[in-house]
Coordinates of all heavy atoms in Angstrom, one line a residue:
L1 N -1.0 0.6 8.2 CA -0.1 0.8 9.3 C -0.7 0.1 10.6 O -1.9 0.2 10.8 CB 0.0 2.3 9.6 CG 0.7 3.2 8.5 CD1 0.8 4.6 9.0 CD2 2.0 2.6 8.2
A2 N 0.2 -0.5 11.3 CA -0.2 -1.2 12.6 C -1.4 -2.1 12.3 O -1.5 -2.8 11.3 CB -0.5 -0.2 13.7
N3 N -2.4 -2.1 13.2 CA -3.6 -2.9 13.0 C -4.8 -2.2 12.5 O -5.9 -2.6 12.7 CB -3.9 -3.7 14.3 CG -2.7 -4.6 14.6 OD1 -2.2 -5.3 13.8 ND2 -2.4 -4.6 15.9
K4 N -4.6 -1.0 11.8 CA -5.7 -0.3 11.3 C -6.4 -1.0 10.2 O -5.8 -1.8 9.5 CB -5.2 1.1 10.8 CG -4.4 1.9 11.8 CD -5.3 2.6 12.8 CE -4.5 3.6 13.6 NZ -3.8 3.0 14.7
R5 N -7.7 -0.7 10.0 CA -8.5 -1.4 9.0 C -8.6 -0.6 7.7 O -9.0 -1.1 6.7 CB -9.9 -1.7 9.5 CG -9.9 -2.6 10.7 CD -11.3 -2.9 11.2 NE -11.3 -3.8 12.3 CZ -11.2 -5.1 12.3 NH1 -11.2 -5.7 11.1 NH2 -11.2 -5.8 13.4
T6 N -8.2 0.6 7.7 CA -8.2 1.5 6.5 C -6.8 1.6 6.0 O -5.9 2.0 6.7 CB -8.8 2.9 6.9 OG1 -9.8 2.7 7.8 CG2 -9.3 3.6 5.7
P7 N -6.6 1.4 4.7 CA -5.3 1.5 4.1 C -4.8 3.0 4.1 O -5.7 3.9 3.9 CB -5.4 1.0 2.7 CG -6.9 1.0 2.4 CD -7.6 1.0 3.7
V8 N -3.5 3.2 4.3 CA -3.0 4.6 4.2 C -2.5 4.9 2.8 O -2.2 6.0 2.4 CB -1.8 4.8 5.2 CG1 -2.3 4.8 6.6 CG2 -0.7 3.8 4.9
W9 N -2.5 3.8 1.9 CA -2.1 4.0 0.5 C -2.7 2.8 -0.3 O -2.8 1.7 0.2 CB -0.5 3.9 0.5 CG 0.1 4.1 -0.8 CD1 0.6 5.3 -1.2 CD2 0.4 3.2 -1.8 NE1 1.2 5.1 -2.5 CE2 1.0 3.8 -2.9 CE3 0.1 1.8 -2.0 CZ2 1.4 3.2 -4.0 CZ3 0.5 1.2 -3.1 CH2 1.2 1.9 -4.1
E10 N -3.1 3.2 -1.5 CA -3.7 2.1 -2.3 C -3.5 2.4 -3.8 O -3.5 3.6 -4.2 CB -5.2 2.0 -2.1 CG -5.9 1.0 -2.9 CD -7.3 0.7 -2.4 OE1 -7.7 1.1 -1.3 OE2 -8.1 0.2 -3.3
E11 N -3.2 1.4 -4.6 CA -3.0 1.6 -6.0 C -3.7 0.4 -6.7 O -3.5 -0.7 -6.3 CB -1.5 1.7 -6.4 CG -1.2 2.1 -7.8 CD -1.6 3.5 -8.1 OE1 -1.0 4.5 -7.5 OE2 -2.5 3.7 -8.9
S12 N -4.5 0.7 -7.8 CA -5.2 -0.4 -8.4 C -4.8 -0.7 -9.8 O -5.1 -1.7 -10.3 CB -6.7 -0.2 -8.3 OG -7.0 1.0 -8.9
K13 N -4.1 0.2 -10.5 CA -3.6 -0.2 -11.8 C -2.4 0.6 -12.2 O -2.3 1.8 -11.8 CB -4.7 -0.2 -12.8 CG -5.3 1.2 -13.1 CD -6.3 1.0 -14.3 CE -6.8 2.4 -14.8 NZ -7.7 3.0 -14.0
G14 N -1.5 0.0 -12.9 CA -0.3 0.7 -13.3 C -0.6 1.3 -14.7 O -1.4 0.7 -15.5
K15 N -0.1 2.4 -15.0 CA -0.2 3.0 -16.3 C 0.6 2.2 -17.3 O 0.2 2.1 -18.5 CB 0.3 4.5 -16.3 CG -0.4 5.4 -15.4 CD 0.2 6.8 -15.4 CE -0.3 7.7 -14.4 NZ 0.2 7.4 -13.0
D16 N 1.6 1.6 -16.9 CA 2.4 0.7 -17.7 C 3.1 -0.3 -16.8 O 2.7 -0.4 -15.6 CB 3.5 1.6 -18.4 CG 4.2 2.5 -17.5 OD1 4.5 2.1 -16.3 OD2 4.5 3.7 -17.9
E17 N 4.1 -1.0 -17.2 CA 4.7 -2.0 -16.4 C 5.9 -1.5 -15.6 O 6.7 -2.2 -15.1 CB 5.1 -3.2 -17.2 CG 3.9 -3.7 -18.0 CD 3.8 -5.2 -18.2 OE1 4.8 -5.8 -18.1 OE2 2.7 -5.6 -18.5
K18 N 6.1 -0.1 -15.6 CA 7.3 0.4 -15.0 C 7.2 0.4 -13.5 O 6.1 0.5 -12.9 CB 7.5 1.9 -15.4 CG 7.9 2.0 -16.8 CD 8.4 3.5 -17.1 CE 8.9 3.6 -18.5 NZ 8.0 4.5 -19.3
W19 N 8.3 0.5 -12.8 CA 8.4 0.6 -11.4 C 8.1 2.1 -11.0 O 8.6 3.0 -11.7 CB 9.8 0.2 -10.8 CG 9.9 -1.3 -10.8 CD1 10.5 -2.0 -11.9 CD2 9.6 -2.2 -9.8 NE1 10.4 -3.4 -11.5 CE2 9.9 -3.5 -10.3 CE3 9.0 -2.0 -8.5 CZ2 9.7 -4.6 -9.5 CZ3 8.8 -3.2 -7.8 CH2 9.1 -4.4 -8.3
R20 N 7.4 2.3 -9.9 CA 7.1 3.6 -9.5 C 7.5 3.7 -8.0 O 7.8 2.7 -7.4 CB 5.6 3.9 -9.5 CG 5.0 3.6 -10.9 CD 4.3 4.9 -11.4 NE 3.8 4.7 -12.7 CZ 4.4 5.1 -13.9 NH1 5.5 5.7 -13.8 NH2 3.8 4.8 -15.0
T21 N 7.5 4.9 -7.4 CA 7.9 5.1 -6.0 C 6.7 5.5 -5.2 O 5.9 6.4 -5.6 CB 8.9 6.2 -5.9 OG1 10.1 5.8 -6.7 CG2 9.4 6.4 -4.5
G22 N 6.5 4.8 -4.1 CA 5.4 5.2 -3.2 C 6.0 5.8 -1.9 O 7.1 5.4 -1.5
K23 N 5.3 6.7 -1.3 CA 5.8 7.3 -0.1 C 4.7 7.4 0.9 O 3.6 7.8 0.5 CB 6.3 8.7 -0.3 CG 7.6 8.8 -1.1 CD 8.0 10.3 -1.2 CE 9.0 10.5 -2.3 NZ 9.2 11.9 -2.5
I24 N 5.0 7.1 2.2 CA 3.9 7.2 3.2 C 4.6 7.8 4.4 O 5.6 7.4 4.9 CB 3.4 5.8 3.6 CG1 2.7 5.1 2.4 CG2 2.5 5.8 4.8 CD1 2.5 3.7 2.5
E25 N 3.9 8.8 5.0 CA 4.4 9.4 6.2 C 3.8 8.7 7.4 O 2.6 8.5 7.4 CB 4.1 10.9 6.2 CG 5.0 11.6 5.2 CD 5.0 13.1 5.2 OE1 3.9 13.7 5.5 OE2 6.0 13.7 4.8
I26 N 4.6 8.4 8.3 CA 4.2 7.7 9.5 C 4.4 8.7 10.7 O 5.5 9.0 11.0 CB 5.0 6.4 9.8 CG1 4.9 5.4 8.6 CG2 4.6 5.7 11.1 CD1 5.7 4.2 8.7
F27 N 3.3 9.1 11.2 CA 3.3 10.0 12.4 C 3.1 9.2 13.7 O 2.1 8.6 13.8 CB 2.3 11.1 12.3 CG 2.5 12.0 11.0 CD1 1.7 11.9 10.0 CD2 3.5 12.9 11.0 CE1 1.8 12.6 8.8 CE2 3.7 13.7 9.9 CZ 2.9 13.6 8.8
Q28 N 4.1 9.2 14.5 CA 3.9 8.5 15.8 C 3.3 9.4 16.8 O 3.7 10.5 17.0 CB 5.3 8.1 16.3 CG 6.1 7.2 15.3 CD 5.6 5.8 15.2 OE1 4.4 5.6 15.2 NE2 6.5 4.9 15.3
G29 N 2.2 8.9 17.4 CA 1.5 9.6 18.4 C 1.6 8.9 19.7 O 2.6 8.4 20.1
A30 N 0.4 8.8 20.4 CA 0.3 8.1 21.6 C 0.7 6.6 21.5 O 1.3 6.0 22.3 CB -1.1 8.2 22.2
E31 N 0.3 6.0 20.3 CA 0.6 4.6 20.1 C 1.7 4.6 19.0 O 1.7 5.4 18.0 CB -0.6 3.8 19.7 CG -1.4 4.4 18.5 CD -2.6 3.6 18.2 OE1 -2.5 2.6 17.6 OE2 -3.7 4.1 18.6
T32 N 2.6 3.7 19.1 CA 3.7 3.5 18.2 C 3.2 2.6 17.1 O 2.7 1.6 17.3 CB 4.9 3.0 18.8 OG1 5.3 3.8 19.9 CG2 6.1 2.9 17.9
T33 N 3.5 3.0 15.8 CA 3.2 2.1 14.7 C 4.3 1.0 14.7 O 5.5 1.3 14.5 CB 3.3 2.8 13.4 OG1 2.3 3.8 13.4 CG2 3.1 1.9 12.2
N34 N 3.9 -0.2 15.0 CA 4.9 -1.3 15.1 C 5.0 -2.2 13.9 O 5.7 -3.2 13.9 CB 4.7 -2.1 16.4 CG 3.3 -2.7 16.5 OD1 2.5 -2.5 15.5 ND2 3.0 -3.3 17.6
S35 N 4.1 -1.9 12.9 CA 4.2 -2.7 11.7 C 3.6 -2.0 10.5 O 2.8 -1.1 10.7 CB 3.5 -4.1 11.9 OG 2.1 -3.9 12.0
V36 N 4.1 -2.4 9.3 CA 3.5 -1.9 8.1 C 3.2 -3.2 7.3 O 4.0 -4.1 7.2 CB 4.5 -1.1 7.3 CG1 4.0 -0.7 5.9 CG2 4.9 0.2 8.1
T37 N 2.0 -3.2 6.7 CA 1.5 -4.4 6.0 C 1.3 -4.0 4.5 O 0.6 -3.1 4.2 CB 0.3 -5.0 6.5 OG1 0.5 -5.3 7.9 CG2 -0.2 -6.3 5.8
F38 N 2.0 -4.8 3.6 CA 1.7 -4.7 2.2 C 0.7 -5.8 1.8 O 1.0 -6.9 2.0 CB 3.0 -4.9 1.4 CG 3.9 -3.7 1.5 CD1 4.9 -3.6 2.5 CD2 3.9 -2.7 0.6 CE1 5.7 -2.6 2.7 CE2 4.8 -1.6 0.7 CZ 5.7 -1.5 1.7
E39 N -0.4 -5.3 1.3 CA -1.5 -6.3 1.0 C -1.8 -6.3 -0.5 O -2.0 -5.3 -1.1 CB -2.8 -5.9 1.7 CG -3.9 -6.9 1.4 CD -5.2 -6.4 2.1 OE1 -5.9 -5.5 1.6 OE2 -5.5 -6.9 3.2
S40 N -1.7 -7.5 -1.1 CA -2.1 -7.6 -2.5 C -3.4 -8.3 -2.6 O -3.7 -9.3 -2.0 CB -1.0 -8.6 -3.1 OG -1.4 -9.0 -4.4
E41 N -4.3 -7.7 -3.4 CA -5.6 -8.3 -3.6 C -5.7 -8.7 -5.1 O -5.4 -7.9 -6.0 CB -6.8 -7.3 -3.3 CG -8.1 -7.9 -3.6 CD -9.3 -7.0 -3.4 OE1 -9.1 -6.0 -2.6 OE2 -10.3 -7.2 -4.0
R42 N -6.0 -10.0 -5.3 CA -6.1 -10.5 -6.7 C -7.2 -9.8 -7.5 O -8.3 -9.7 -7.0 CB -6.3 -12.0 -6.7 CG -5.0 -12.8 -6.3 CD -4.0 -12.8 -7.4 NE -4.6 -13.5 -8.6 CZ -4.9 -12.9 -9.8 NH1 -4.6 -11.7 -10.0 NH2 -5.4 -13.6 -10.7
G43 N -6.9 -9.5 -8.7 CA -7.9 -9.0 -9.7 C -8.4 -10.1 -10.5 O -8.2 -11.3 -10.3
K44 N -9.1 -9.8 -11.7 CA -9.6 -10.8 -12.6 C -8.5 -11.3 -13.5 O -8.6 -12.4 -14.1 CB -10.6 -10.1 -13.5 CG -12.0 -10.0 -12.9 CD -13.0 -9.6 -13.9 CE -14.0 -8.6 -13.3 NZ -14.7 -7.8 -14.3
G45 N -7.5 -10.5 -13.8 CA -6.4 -10.9 -14.7 C -5.7 -12.1 -14.3 O -5.6 -12.5 -13.1
K46 N -5.1 -12.8 -15.3 CA -4.3 -14.0 -15.0 C -2.8 -13.8 -15.4 O -2.0 -14.7 -15.3 CB -4.8 -15.2 -15.8 CG -6.2 -15.7 -15.2 CD -6.0 -16.4 -13.9 CE -7.3 -16.9 -13.4 NZ -7.3 -17.1 -11.9
T47 N -2.4 -12.6 -15.9 CA -1.0 -12.4 -16.2 C -0.5 -11.2 -15.4 O -1.3 -10.5 -14.8 CB -0.9 -12.1 -17.7 OG1 -1.7 -10.9 -18.0 CG2 -1.4 -13.2 -18.6
G48 N 0.8 -11.0 -15.6 CA 1.4 -9.9 -14.9 C 1.7 -10.2 -13.4 O 1.7 -11.4 -13.0

C-alpha cells in the first residue's frame, strides 16, 4: 500500500493452478493510501 516497504499481503506458492481470492483492508488514517502495488518476484521455476 502506498510507498510502504512492508507488504500487506504475500503468497509464495499455489496449492494448485486454480484462481483464488485475495482481500486486503485499507484503513485510511492521517495519510491517504493513493496507490496499491502488485509485485511479482521471480522464483527458480521456468514454467507457469
Side-chain angles (χ1 to χ4, degrees):
L1 296 181
N3 296 319
K4 304 280 188 284
R5 297 186 181 270
T6 321
V8 290
W9 186 95
E10 181 172 339
E11 190 65 64
S12 58
K13 63 178 189 282
K15 299 180 186 74
D16 49 38
E17 309 215 339
K18 288 195 180 111
W19 285 91
R20 308 237 178 259
T21 301
K23 291 183 195 171
I24 297 166
E25 289 187 331
I26 301 174
F27 298 104
Q28 302 285 45
E31 55 185 280
T32 305
T33 298
N34 56 4
S35 69
V36 174
T37 302
F38 288 87
E39 178 184 84
S40 165
E41 179 182 336
R42 284 284 298 113
K44 280 190 216 161
K46 290 285 183 208
T47 59

